[in-house]
Amino acid sequence: MTLDGEFAKQTKDLIMQTLDLYKKSGASPRVGQIWNCERVGDFLCGFFVGEMVGSALSAFQIVHKREPTSEEHLEIIELVEGHAGDIKAFFSKFNQSNGAQ
């Protein structure tokens, strides 16, 4: 692993803290109609993953004052993927109810 341990820990914490915020606040009941998507949970899951990867990449640039290497970029993605089970379990609920929770 090329990412430093403290950055990886903070990124993992960010992912879980942000997921907890989503669990508490839910989603707008208009997501499906505004974005024209039938599977709201899949849309929200993709949005969340993109948000987490983008936030971690921005944080990396701020902390290290440079762009991540391709290996570091992949490791950031893998940090998010490490929480795939929790992320998918939460957002899949929006597919079943077709609305906000």
Side-chain angles (χ1 to χ4, degrees), residues 53-90:
V53 171
S55 294
L57 290 172
S58 293
F60 183 95
Q61 291 172 329
I62 291 167
V63 168
H64 297 288
K65 297 182 182 16
R66 65 176 176 83
E67 297 284 327
T69 65
S70 58
E71 186 175 344
E72 290 165 331
H73 188 143
L74 183 58
E75 286 180 29
I76 288 169
I77 292 169
E78 289 171 350
L79 290 173
V80 178
E81 290 173 342
H83 298 277
D86 291 334
I87 294 168
K88 290 189 302 184
F90 172 66

PDB file of all heavy atoms in Angstrom, residues 53-90:
ATOM      1  N   VAL A  53     -15.174   8.932  -3.409  1.00  0.00           N
ATOM      2  CA  VAL A  53     -13.909   8.893  -4.147  1.00  0.00           C
ATOM      3  C   VAL A  53     -13.451  10.322  -4.455  1.00  0.00           C
ATOM      4  O   VAL A  53     -12.284  10.670  -4.246  1.00  0.00           O
ATOM      5  CB  VAL A  53     -14.038   8.052  -5.444  1.00  0.00           C
ATOM      6  CG1 VAL A  53     -12.788   8.194  -6.307  1.00  0.00           C
ATOM      7  CG2 VAL A  53     -14.278   6.582  -5.097  1.00  0.00           C
ATOM      8  N   GLY A  54     -14.367  11.163  -4.904  1.00  0.00           N
ATOM      9  CA  GLY A  54     -14.014  12.545  -5.213  1.00  0.00           C
ATOM     10  C   GLY A  54     -13.539  13.307  -3.989  1.00  0.00           C
ATOM     11  O   GLY A  54     -12.557  14.058  -4.055  1.00  0.00           O
ATOM     12  N   SER A  55     -14.195  13.120  -2.864  1.00  0.00           N
ATOM     13  CA  SER A  55     -13.790  13.791  -1.629  1.00  0.00           C
ATOM     14  C   SER A  55     -12.404  13.327  -1.186  1.00  0.00           C
ATOM     15  O   SER A  55     -11.568  14.136  -0.769  1.00  0.00           O
ATOM     16  CB  SER A  55     -14.796  13.522  -0.510  1.00  0.00           C
ATOM     17  OG  SER A  55     -16.038  14.109  -0.809  1.00  0.00           O
ATOM     18  N   ALA A  56     -12.167  12.030  -1.281  1.00  0.00           N
ATOM     19  CA  ALA A  56     -10.860  11.498  -0.879  1.00  0.00           C
ATOM     20  C   ALA A  56      -9.760  11.980  -1.816  1.00  0.00           C
ATOM     21  O   ALA A  56      -8.656  12.298  -1.370  1.00  0.00           O
ATOM     22  CB  ALA A  56     -10.909   9.965  -0.836  1.00  0.00           C
ATOM     23  N   LEU A  57     -10.046  12.056  -3.113  1.00  0.00           N
ATOM     24  CA  LEU A  57      -9.037  12.562  -4.054  1.00  0.00           C
ATOM     25  C   LEU A  57      -8.728  14.031  -3.789  1.00  0.00           C
ATOM     26  O   LEU A  57      -7.567  14.450  -3.824  1.00  0.00           O
ATOM     27  CB  LEU A  57      -9.501  12.368  -5.499  1.00  0.00           C
ATOM     28  CG  LEU A  57      -9.534  10.925  -6.003  1.00  0.00           C
ATOM     29  CD1 LEU A  57     -10.200  10.860  -7.372  1.00  0.00           C
ATOM     30  CD2 LEU A  57      -8.139  10.334  -6.047  1.00  0.00           C
ATOM     31  N   SER A  58      -9.751  14.814  -3.492  1.00  0.00           N
ATOM     32  CA  SER A  58      -9.541  16.228  -3.156  1.00  0.00           C
ATOM     33  C   SER A  58      -8.726  16.363  -1.875  1.00  0.00           C
ATOM     34  O   SER A  58      -7.805  17.187  -1.798  1.00  0.00           O
ATOM     35  CB  SER A  58     -10.877  16.944  -2.990  1.00  0.00           C
ATOM     36  OG  SER A  58     -11.556  17.014  -4.216  1.00  0.00           O
ATOM     37  N   ALA A  59      -9.064  15.556  -0.880  1.00  0.00           N
ATOM     38  CA  ALA A  59      -8.319  15.591   0.379  1.00  0.00           C
ATOM     39  C   ALA A  59      -6.861  15.206   0.146  1.00  0.00           C
ATOM     40  O   ALA A  59      -5.947  15.816   0.709  1.00  0.00           O
ATOM     41  CB  ALA A  59      -8.961  14.658   1.402  1.00  0.00           C
ATOM     42  N   PHE A  60      -6.640  14.222  -0.700  1.00  0.00           N
ATOM     43  CA  PHE A  60      -5.266  13.797  -1.012  1.00  0.00           C
ATOM     44  C   PHE A  60      -4.481  14.961  -1.602  1.00  0.00           C
ATOM     45  O   PHE A  60      -3.348  15.224  -1.207  1.00  0.00           O
ATOM     46  CB  PHE A  60      -5.279  12.616  -1.994  1.00  0.00           C
ATOM     47  CG  PHE A  60      -3.909  12.093  -2.305  1.00  0.00           C
ATOM     48  CD1 PHE A  60      -3.394  11.026  -1.591  1.00  0.00           C
ATOM     49  CD2 PHE A  60      -3.123  12.677  -3.291  1.00  0.00           C
ATOM     50  CE1 PHE A  60      -2.118  10.554  -1.854  1.00  0.00           C
ATOM     51  CE2 PHE A  60      -1.839  12.213  -3.556  1.00  0.00           C
ATOM     52  CZ  PHE A  60      -1.335  11.148  -2.836  1.00  0.00           C
ATOM     53  N   GLN A  61      -5.097  15.669  -2.544  1.00  0.00           N
ATOM     54  CA  GLN A  61      -4.422  16.806  -3.174  1.00  0.00           C
ATOM     55  C   GLN A  61      -4.102  17.900  -2.163  1.00  0.00           C
ATOM     56  O   GLN A  61      -3.026  18.512  -2.220  1.00  0.00           O
ATOM     57  CB  GLN A  61      -5.284  17.380  -4.301  1.00  0.00           C
ATOM     58  CG  GLN A  61      -5.393  16.451  -5.482  1.00  0.00           C
ATOM     59  CD  GLN A  61      -6.409  16.943  -6.497  1.00  0.00           C
ATOM     60  OE1 GLN A  61      -7.392  17.580  -6.147  1.00  0.00           O
ATOM     61  NE2 GLN A  61      -6.169  16.620  -7.759  1.00  0.00           N
ATOM     62  N   ILE A  62      -5.005  18.145  -1.238  1.00  0.00           N
ATOM     63  CA  ILE A  62      -4.773  19.174  -0.222  1.00  0.00           C
ATOM     64  C   ILE A  62      -3.659  18.753   0.728  1.00  0.00           C
ATOM     65  O   ILE A  62      -2.752  19.532   1.030  1.00  0.00           O
ATOM     66  CB  ILE A  62      -6.079  19.480   0.537  1.00  0.00           C
ATOM     67  CG1 ILE A  62      -7.070  20.187  -0.394  1.00  0.00           C
ATOM     68  CG2 ILE A  62      -5.805  20.315   1.783  1.00  0.00           C
ATOM     69  CD1 ILE A  62      -8.482  20.266   0.139  1.00  0.00           C
ATOM     70  N   VAL A  63      -3.715  17.512   1.200  1.00  0.00           N
ATOM     71  CA  VAL A  63      -2.739  17.024   2.168  1.00  0.00           C
ATOM     72  C   VAL A  63      -1.344  16.917   1.560  1.00  0.00           C
ATOM     73  O   VAL A  63      -0.353  17.339   2.153  1.00  0.00           O
ATOM     74  CB  VAL A  63      -3.181  15.654   2.743  1.00  0.00           C
ATOM     75  CG1 VAL A  63      -2.067  14.981   3.534  1.00  0.00           C
ATOM     76  CG2 VAL A  63      -4.419  15.826   3.606  1.00  0.00           C
ATOM     77  N   HIS A  64      -1.269  16.356   0.347  1.00  0.00           N
ATOM     78  CA  HIS A  64       0.032  16.052  -0.256  1.00  0.00           C
ATOM     79  C   HIS A  64       0.500  17.098  -1.271  1.00  0.00           C
ATOM     80  O   HIS A  64       1.618  17.005  -1.779  1.00  0.00           O
ATOM     81  CB  HIS A  64      -0.009  14.672  -0.905  1.00  0.00           C
ATOM     82  CG  HIS A  64      -0.261  13.572   0.070  1.00  0.00           C
ATOM     83  ND1 HIS A  64       0.676  13.146   0.993  1.00  0.00           N
ATOM     84  CD2 HIS A  64      -1.364  12.809   0.307  1.00  0.00           C
ATOM     85  CE1 HIS A  64       0.189  12.185   1.734  1.00  0.00           C
ATOM     86  NE2 HIS A  64      -1.064  11.954   1.334  1.00  0.00           N
ATOM     87  N   LYS A  65      -0.363  18.050  -1.577  1.00  0.00           N
ATOM     88  CA  LYS A  65      -0.040  19.127  -2.518  1.00  0.00           C
ATOM     89  C   LYS A  65       0.443  18.604  -3.879  1.00  0.00           C
ATOM     90  O   LYS A  65       1.359  19.138  -4.485  1.00  0.00           O
ATOM     91  CB  LYS A  65       0.990  20.075  -1.912  1.00  0.00           C
ATOM     92  CG  LYS A  65       0.459  20.775  -0.668  1.00  0.00           C
ATOM     93  CD  LYS A  65       1.434  21.735  -0.095  1.00  0.00           C
ATOM     94  CE  LYS A  65       0.998  22.438   1.159  1.00  0.00           C
ATOM     95  NZ  LYS A  65      -0.096  21.977   1.925  1.00  0.00           N
ATOM     96  N   ARG A  66      -0.233  17.524  -4.309  1.00  0.00           N
ATOM     97  CA  ARG A  66       0.055  16.933  -5.620  1.00  0.00           C
ATOM     98  C   ARG A  66      -1.092  16.010  -6.009  1.00  0.00           C
ATOM     99  O   ARG A  66      -1.933  15.665  -5.182  1.00  0.00           O
ATOM    100  CB  ARG A  66       1.368  16.164  -5.613  1.00  0.00           C
ATOM    101  CG  ARG A  66       1.353  14.935  -4.696  1.00  0.00           C
ATOM    102  CD  ARG A  66       2.644  14.138  -4.794  1.00  0.00           C
ATOM    103  NE  ARG A  66       2.667  13.030  -3.864  1.00  0.00           N
ATOM    104  CZ  ARG A  66       2.099  11.836  -4.077  1.00  0.00           C
ATOM    105  NH1 ARG A  66       1.456  11.576  -5.201  1.00  0.00           N
ATOM    106  NH2 ARG A  66       2.173  10.874  -3.166  1.00  0.00           N
ATOM    107  N   GLU A  67      -1.110  15.639  -7.267  1.00  0.00           N
ATOM    108  CA  GLU A  67      -2.082  14.658  -7.744  1.00  0.00           C
ATOM    109  C   GLU A  67      -1.654  13.266  -7.266  1.00  0.00           C
ATOM    110  O   GLU A  67      -0.461  12.991  -7.159  1.00  0.00           O
ATOM    111  CB  GLU A  67      -2.113  14.648  -9.280  1.00  0.00           C
ATOM    112  CG  GLU A  67      -2.562  15.952  -9.906  1.00  0.00           C
ATOM    113  CD  GLU A  67      -4.052  16.156  -9.805  1.00  0.00           C
ATOM    114  OE1 GLU A  67      -4.803  15.167  -9.842  1.00  0.00           O
ATOM    115  OE2 GLU A  67      -4.461  17.322  -9.676  1.00  0.00           O
ATOM    116  N   PRO A  68      -2.605  12.392  -6.980  1.00  0.00           N
ATOM    117  CA  PRO A  68      -2.218  11.025  -6.625  1.00  0.00           C
ATOM    118  C   PRO A  68      -1.692  10.284  -7.852  1.00  0.00           C
ATOM    119  O   PRO A  68      -2.089  10.570  -8.988  1.00  0.00           O
ATOM    120  CB  PRO A  68      -3.525  10.403  -6.128  1.00  0.00           C
ATOM    121  CG  PRO A  68      -4.601  11.202  -6.774  1.00  0.00           C
ATOM    122  CD  PRO A  68      -4.052  12.587  -6.954  1.00  0.00           C
ATOM    123  N   THR A  69      -0.803   9.352  -7.612  1.00  0.00           N
ATOM    124  CA  THR A  69      -0.361   8.471  -8.696  1.00  0.00           C
ATOM    125  C   THR A  69      -1.534   7.552  -9.055  1.00  0.00           C
ATOM    126  O   THR A  69      -2.526   7.465  -8.305  1.00  0.00           O
ATOM    127  CB  THR A  69       0.838   7.611  -8.260  1.00  0.00           C
ATOM    128  OG1 THR A  69       0.406   6.722  -7.206  1.00  0.00           O
ATOM    129  CG2 THR A  69       2.007   8.478  -7.780  1.00  0.00           C
ATOM    130  N   SER A  70      -1.413   6.845 -10.148  1.00  0.00           N
ATOM    131  CA  SER A  70      -2.493   5.925 -10.517  1.00  0.00           C
ATOM    132  C   SER A  70      -2.653   4.839  -9.457  1.00  0.00           C
ATOM    133  O   SER A  70      -3.764   4.404  -9.159  1.00  0.00           O
ATOM    134  CB  SER A  70      -2.244   5.317 -11.899  1.00  0.00           C
ATOM    135  OG  SER A  70      -1.011   4.640 -11.932  1.00  0.00           O
ATOM    136  N   GLU A  71      -1.560   4.424  -8.831  1.00  0.00           N
ATOM    137  CA  GLU A  71      -1.647   3.408  -7.777  1.00  0.00           C
ATOM    138  C   GLU A  71      -2.359   3.971  -6.540  1.00  0.00           C
ATOM    139  O   GLU A  71      -3.196   3.303  -5.936  1.00  0.00           O
ATOM    140  CB  GLU A  71      -0.246   2.924  -7.401  1.00  0.00           C
ATOM    141  CG  GLU A  71      -0.259   1.768  -6.426  1.00  0.00           C
ATOM    142  CD  GLU A  71       1.130   1.215  -6.142  1.00  0.00           C
ATOM    143  OE1 GLU A  71       2.077   1.506  -6.888  1.00  0.00           O
ATOM    144  OE2 GLU A  71       1.252   0.484  -5.143  1.00  0.00           O
ATOM    145  N   GLU A  72      -2.044   5.200  -6.173  1.00  0.00           N
ATOM    146  CA  GLU A  72      -2.710   5.832  -5.029  1.00  0.00           C
ATOM    147  C   GLU A  72      -4.196   6.045  -5.311  1.00  0.00           C
ATOM    148  O   GLU A  72      -5.033   5.837  -4.438  1.00  0.00           O
ATOM    149  CB  GLU A  72      -2.028   7.161  -4.701  1.00  0.00           C
ATOM    150  CG  GLU A  72      -0.642   6.986  -4.114  1.00  0.00           C
ATOM    151  CD  GLU A  72       0.186   8.250  -4.112  1.00  0.00           C
ATOM    152  OE1 GLU A  72      -0.018   9.120  -5.003  1.00  0.00           O
ATOM    153  OE2 GLU A  72       1.059   8.373  -3.235  1.00  0.00           O
ATOM    154  N   HIS A  73      -4.511   6.439  -6.541  1.00  0.00           N
ATOM    155  CA  HIS A  73      -5.914   6.619  -6.943  1.00  0.00           C
ATOM    156  C   HIS A  73      -6.666   5.298  -6.782  1.00  0.00           C
ATOM    157  O   HIS A  73      -7.766   5.259  -6.220  1.00  0.00           O
ATOM    158  CB  HIS A  73      -5.960   7.112  -8.389  1.00  0.00           C
ATOM    159  CG  HIS A  73      -7.318   7.508  -8.854  1.00  0.00           C
ATOM    160  ND1 HIS A  73      -7.525   8.562  -9.682  1.00  0.00           N
ATOM    161  CD2 HIS A  73      -8.547   6.980  -8.647  1.00  0.00           C
ATOM    162  CE1 HIS A  73      -8.809   8.687  -9.946  1.00  0.00           C
ATOM    163  NE2 HIS A  73      -9.446   7.720  -9.333  1.00  0.00           N
ATOM    164  N   LEU A  74      -6.079   4.231  -7.263  1.00  0.00           N
ATOM    165  CA  LEU A  74      -6.706   2.909  -7.142  1.00  0.00           C
ATOM    166  C   LEU A  74      -6.883   2.513  -5.682  1.00  0.00           C
ATOM    167  O   LEU A  74      -7.916   1.953  -5.299  1.00  0.00           O
ATOM    168  CB  LEU A  74      -5.881   1.858  -7.882  1.00  0.00           C
ATOM    169  CG  LEU A  74      -6.440   0.438  -7.899  1.00  0.00           C
ATOM    170  CD1 LEU A  74      -7.833   0.406  -8.521  1.00  0.00           C
ATOM    171  CD2 LEU A  74      -5.503  -0.487  -8.650  1.00  0.00           C
ATOM    172  N   GLU A  75      -5.907   2.821  -4.844  1.00  0.00           N
ATOM    173  CA  GLU A  75      -6.020   2.492  -3.423  1.00  0.00           C
ATOM    174  C   GLU A  75      -7.159   3.275  -2.767  1.00  0.00           C
ATOM    175  O   GLU A  75      -7.853   2.743  -1.891  1.00  0.00           O
ATOM    176  CB  GLU A  75      -4.711   2.771  -2.698  1.00  0.00           C
ATOM    177  CG  GLU A  75      -3.646   1.740  -3.015  1.00  0.00           C
ATOM    178  CD  GLU A  75      -2.334   2.004  -2.296  1.00  0.00           C
ATOM    179  OE1 GLU A  75      -2.359   2.584  -1.191  1.00  0.00           O
ATOM    180  OE2 GLU A  75      -1.293   1.626  -2.843  1.00  0.00           O
ATOM    181  N   ILE A  76      -7.361   4.522  -3.178  1.00  0.00           N
ATOM    182  CA  ILE A  76      -8.478   5.304  -2.654  1.00  0.00           C
ATOM    183  C   ILE A  76      -9.802   4.647  -3.044  1.00  0.00           C
ATOM    184  O   ILE A  76     -10.702   4.497  -2.226  1.00  0.00           O
ATOM    185  CB  ILE A  76      -8.387   6.767  -3.139  1.00  0.00           C
ATOM    186  CG1 ILE A  76      -7.238   7.476  -2.403  1.00  0.00           C
ATOM    187  CG2 ILE A  76      -9.712   7.496  -2.942  1.00  0.00           C
ATOM    188  CD1 ILE A  76      -6.871   8.837  -2.952  1.00  0.00           C
ATOM    189  N   ILE A  77      -9.904   4.223  -4.299  1.00  0.00           N
ATOM    190  CA  ILE A  77     -11.113   3.525  -4.751  1.00  0.00           C
ATOM    191  C   ILE A  77     -11.315   2.250  -3.936  1.00  0.00           C
ATOM    192  O   ILE A  77     -12.428   1.934  -3.511  1.00  0.00           O
ATOM    193  CB  ILE A  77     -11.032   3.223  -6.261  1.00  0.00           C
ATOM    194  CG1 ILE A  77     -11.092   4.532  -7.046  1.00  0.00           C
ATOM    195  CG2 ILE A  77     -12.141   2.260  -6.695  1.00  0.00           C
ATOM    196  CD1 ILE A  77     -10.761   4.390  -8.525  1.00  0.00           C
ATOM    197  N   GLU A  78     -10.226   1.530  -3.673  1.00  0.00           N
ATOM    198  CA  GLU A  78     -10.322   0.291  -2.895  1.00  0.00           C
ATOM    199  C   GLU A  78     -10.774   0.547  -1.460  1.00  0.00           C
ATOM    200  O   GLU A  78     -11.452  -0.291  -0.865  1.00  0.00           O
ATOM    201  CB  GLU A  78      -8.980  -0.450  -2.918  1.00  0.00           C
ATOM    202  CG  GLU A  78      -8.684  -1.048  -4.284  1.00  0.00           C
ATOM    203  CD  GLU A  78      -7.261  -1.596  -4.414  1.00  0.00           C
ATOM    204  OE1 GLU A  78      -6.423  -1.347  -3.516  1.00  0.00           O
ATOM    205  OE2 GLU A  78      -6.992  -2.253  -5.437  1.00  0.00           O
ATOM    206  N   LEU A  79     -10.402   1.702  -0.888  1.00  0.00           N
ATOM    207  CA  LEU A  79     -10.883   2.045   0.458  1.00  0.00           C
ATOM    208  C   LEU A  79     -12.407   2.161   0.463  1.00  0.00           C
ATOM    209  O   LEU A  79     -13.069   1.684   1.386  1.00  0.00           O
ATOM    210  CB  LEU A  79     -10.255   3.346   0.945  1.00  0.00           C
ATOM    211  CG  LEU A  79      -8.767   3.310   1.277  1.00  0.00           C
ATOM    212  CD1 LEU A  79      -8.262   4.724   1.590  1.00  0.00           C
ATOM    213  CD2 LEU A  79      -8.491   2.372   2.441  1.00  0.00           C
ATOM    214  N   VAL A  80     -12.944   2.784  -0.584  1.00  0.00           N
ATOM    215  CA  VAL A  80     -14.405   2.905  -0.696  1.00  0.00           C
ATOM    216  C   VAL A  80     -15.012   1.526  -0.938  1.00  0.00           C
ATOM    217  O   VAL A  80     -15.996   1.143  -0.294  1.00  0.00           O
ATOM    218  CB  VAL A  80     -14.805   3.898  -1.811  1.00  0.00           C
ATOM    219  CG1 VAL A  80     -16.324   3.969  -1.943  1.00  0.00           C
ATOM    220  CG2 VAL A  80     -14.227   5.290  -1.534  1.00  0.00           C
ATOM    221  N   GLU A  81     -14.413   0.762  -1.828  1.00  0.00           N
ATOM    222  CA  GLU A  81     -14.928  -0.582  -2.129  1.00  0.00           C
ATOM    223  C   GLU A  81     -14.904  -1.480  -0.896  1.00  0.00           C
ATOM    224  O   GLU A  81     -15.711  -2.399  -0.785  1.00  0.00           O
ATOM    225  CB  GLU A  81     -14.109  -1.215  -3.254  1.00  0.00           C
ATOM    226  CG  GLU A  81     -14.332  -0.581  -4.593  1.00  0.00           C
ATOM    227  CD  GLU A  81     -13.410  -1.094  -5.678  1.00  0.00           C
ATOM    228  OE1 GLU A  81     -12.359  -1.709  -5.373  1.00  0.00           O
ATOM    229  OE2 GLU A  81     -13.731  -0.862  -6.852  1.00  0.00           O
ATOM    230  N   GLY A  82     -14.007  -1.210   0.024  1.00  0.00           N
ATOM    231  CA  GLY A  82     -13.940  -1.990   1.264  1.00  0.00           C
ATOM    232  C   GLY A  82     -15.206  -1.876   2.099  1.00  0.00           C
ATOM    233  O   GLY A  82     -15.452  -2.702   2.976  1.00  0.00           O
ATOM    234  N   HIS A  83     -16.014  -0.870   1.821  1.00  0.00           N
ATOM    235  CA  HIS A  83     -17.277  -0.668   2.537  1.00  0.00           C
ATOM    236  C   HIS A  83     -18.482  -0.993   1.651  1.00  0.00           C
ATOM    237  O   HIS A  83     -19.612  -0.615   1.978  1.00  0.00           O
ATOM    238  CB  HIS A  83     -17.373   0.780   3.035  1.00  0.00           C
ATOM    239  CG  HIS A  83     -16.304   1.130   4.010  1.00  0.00           C
ATOM    240  ND1 HIS A  83     -16.397   0.832   5.351  1.00  0.00           N
ATOM    241  CD2 HIS A  83     -15.095   1.725   3.843  1.00  0.00           C
ATOM    242  CE1 HIS A  83     -15.297   1.234   5.966  1.00  0.00           C
ATOM    243  NE2 HIS A  83     -14.498   1.786   5.069  1.00  0.00           N
ATOM    244  N   ALA A  84     -18.231  -1.693   0.559  1.00  0.00           N
ATOM    245  CA  ALA A  84     -19.291  -1.974  -0.417  1.00  0.00           C
ATOM    246  C   ALA A  84     -20.492  -2.671   0.209  1.00  0.00           C
ATOM    247  O   ALA A  84     -21.633  -2.340  -0.114  1.00  0.00           O
ATOM    248  CB  ALA A  84     -18.742  -2.809  -1.578  1.00  0.00           C
ATOM    249  N   GLY A  85     -20.264  -3.605   1.099  1.00  0.00           N
ATOM    250  CA  GLY A  85     -21.377  -4.328   1.715  1.00  0.00           C
ATOM    251  C   GLY A  85     -22.320  -3.400   2.464  1.00  0.00           C
ATOM    252  O   GLY A  85     -23.536  -3.445   2.268  1.00  0.00           O
ATOM    253  N   ASP A  86     -21.761  -2.536   3.308  1.00  0.00           N
ATOM    254  CA  ASP A  86     -22.578  -1.584   4.069  1.00  0.00           C
ATOM    255  C   ASP A  86     -23.267  -0.585   3.142  1.00  0.00           C
ATOM    256  O   ASP A  86     -24.438  -0.244   3.339  1.00  0.00           O
ATOM    257  CB  ASP A  86     -21.720  -0.804   5.074  1.00  0.00           C
ATOM    258  CG  ASP A  86     -21.213  -1.666   6.212  1.00  0.00           C
ATOM    259  OD1 ASP A  86     -21.871  -2.681   6.530  1.00  0.00           O
ATOM    260  OD2 ASP A  86     -20.172  -1.317   6.790  1.00  0.00           O
ATOM    261  N   ILE A  87     -22.529  -0.108   2.160  1.00  0.00           N
ATOM    262  CA  ILE A  87     -23.070   0.890   1.235  1.00  0.00           C
ATOM    263  C   ILE A  87     -24.228   0.295   0.434  1.00  0.00           C
ATOM    264  O   ILE A  87     -25.314   0.870   0.359  1.00  0.00           O
ATOM    265  CB  ILE A  87     -21.960   1.431   0.308  1.00  0.00           C
ATOM    266  CG1 ILE A  87     -20.924   2.218   1.123  1.00  0.00           C
ATOM    267  CG2 ILE A  87     -22.549   2.294  -0.809  1.00  0.00           C
ATOM    268  CD1 ILE A  87     -19.639   2.543   0.363  1.00  0.00           C
ATOM    269  N   LYS A  88     -24.014  -0.872  -0.151  1.00  0.00           N
ATOM    270  CA  LYS A  88     -25.068  -1.508  -0.956  1.00  0.00           C
ATOM    271  C   LYS A  88     -26.270  -1.885  -0.105  1.00  0.00           C
ATOM    272  O   LYS A  88     -27.410  -1.727  -0.540  1.00  0.00           O
ATOM    273  CB  LYS A  88     -24.514  -2.739  -1.683  1.00  0.00           C
ATOM    274  CG  LYS A  88     -23.547  -2.396  -2.798  1.00  0.00           C
ATOM    275  CD  LYS A  88     -23.161  -3.580  -3.653  1.00  0.00           C
ATOM    276  CE  LYS A  88     -22.533  -4.694  -2.881  1.00  0.00           C
ATOM    277  NZ  LYS A  88     -22.061  -5.807  -3.728  1.00  0.00           N
ATOM    278  N   ALA A  89     -26.021  -2.388   1.107  1.00  0.00           N
ATOM    279  CA  ALA A  89     -27.136  -2.784   1.976  1.00  0.00           C
ATOM    280  C   ALA A  89     -28.037  -1.596   2.280  1.00  0.00           C
ATOM    281  O   ALA A  89     -29.268  -1.721   2.259  1.00  0.00           O
ATOM    282  CB  ALA A  89     -26.605  -3.392   3.270  1.00  0.00           C
ATOM    283  N   PHE A  90     -27.444  -0.439   2.559  1.00  0.00           N
ATOM    284  CA  PHE A  90     -28.264   0.722   2.869  1.00  0.00           C
ATOM    285  C   PHE A  90     -29.014   1.221   1.640  1.00  0.00           C
ATOM    286  O   PHE A  90     -30.232   1.400   1.679  1.00  0.00           O
ATOM    287  CB  PHE A  90     -27.414   1.862   3.452  1.00  0.00           C
ATOM    288  CG  PHE A  90     -28.195   3.133   3.611  1.00  0.00           C
ATOM    289  CD1 PHE A  90     -29.239   3.202   4.525  1.00  0.00           C
ATOM    290  CD2 PHE A  90     -27.923   4.232   2.826  1.00  0.00           C
ATOM    291  CE1 PHE A  90     -29.990   4.370   4.662  1.00  0.00           C
ATOM    292  CE2 PHE A  90     -28.657   5.400   2.961  1.00  0.00           C
ATOM    293  CZ  PHE A  90     -29.696   5.473   3.876  1.00  0.00           C
TER     294      PHE A  90
END
